[in-house]
Amino acid sequence: MESPHTDHLQLTALLRELAVETGCEDALSVDAETGFARLQLAFDTEDTRCLLRVEVNHPAYCLQVLNFGEITVPEARYAEAMALANGINVRSRAGCLCVSAGNPFCFRQSVDMAGLQPTVGTLVRMIQVGIEAMGYWGDLLGRVALTRTTAGELLAEHDAATQAER
């Protein structure tokens, strides 16, 4: 089935523009036959270091931004990491934290762009949300992966600190 979008490469053009603006043209891969494109690069801020992947699915006219953190989830801590991710996702307003054993934590956002006119600014804002989320939750992610602290304890701590700030 053909995409209902006549300019089915519009999202890839945005991704290419972002790659040029960031000086990462060589990190862009495009498969015109399937309608998928991906920009993947390492990203560092003062608080967060992550692997950033922006994907375009033209048949679905969808943008997806994935921010992979540095902390890998050990098999033995998978259940607690999943419980923490679920607790974080309930508290989040955008995107979701994804967990799989033996892989780094990932913050994912997917947006159906049908009927919308996305810009490079749209992509940048999605990237910023993911980076901020990974930075905001990074301490808890590290603690659940690297200590014996339970997700319940970490979330209770977080909620108490958040309540105290109000």
Side-chain angles (χ1 to χ4, degrees), residues 84-135:
L84 179 64
N86 288 336
I88 288 171
N89 290 340
V90 167
R91 290 160 175 79
S92 294
R93 295 179 186 193
C96 67
L97 188 64
C98 303
V99 178
S100 61
N103 292 301
F105 284 99
C106 174
F107 187 80
R108 183 184 76 202
Q109 303 166 79
S110 296
V111 178
D112 177 353
M113 292 292 170
L116 303 175
Q117 295 299 318
T119 64
V120 171
T122 304
L123 293 175
V124 169
R125 283 187 293 283
M126 289 176 70
I127 291 166
Q128 288 170 335
V129 166
I131 290 168
E132 288 171 10
M134 291 299 281

Side-chain angles (χ1 to χ4, degrees), residues 25-44:
E25 297 94 331
D26 59 337
L28 178 66
S29 62
V30 178
D31 186 340
E33 191 173 306
T34 62
F36 290 89
R38 173 186 289 170
L39 177 65
Q40 184 167 300
L41 52 123
F43 193 89
D44 292 312

Side-chain angles (χ1 to χ4, degrees), residues 4-83:
H5 307 282
T6 54
D7 183 9
H8 74 284
L9 295 180
Q10 177 187 10
L11 296 178
T12 297
L14 285 175
L15 203 54
R16 190 176 314 281
E17 189 177 335
L18 179 63
V20 168
E21 284 185 19
T22 58
C24 299
E25 297 94 331
D26 59 337
L28 178 66
S29 62
V30 178
D31 186 340
E33 191 173 306
T34 62
F36 290 89
R38 173 186 289 170
L39 177 65
Q40 184 167 300
L41 52 123
F43 193 89
D44 292 312
T45 67
E46 291 176 14
D47 302 324
T48 308
R49 184 176 200 173
C50 62
L51 174 66
L52 172 67
R53 187 170 22 182
V54 183
E55 298 177 335
V56 167
N57 174 338
H58 284 289
Y61 208 62
C62 179
L63 281 174
Q64 180 168 259
V65 175
L66 302 116
N67 299 75
F68 296 90
E70 290 185 298
I71 301 166
T72 297
V73 180
E75 183 82 35
R77 297 297 293 161
Y78 174 72
E80 285 301 325
M82 181 59 80

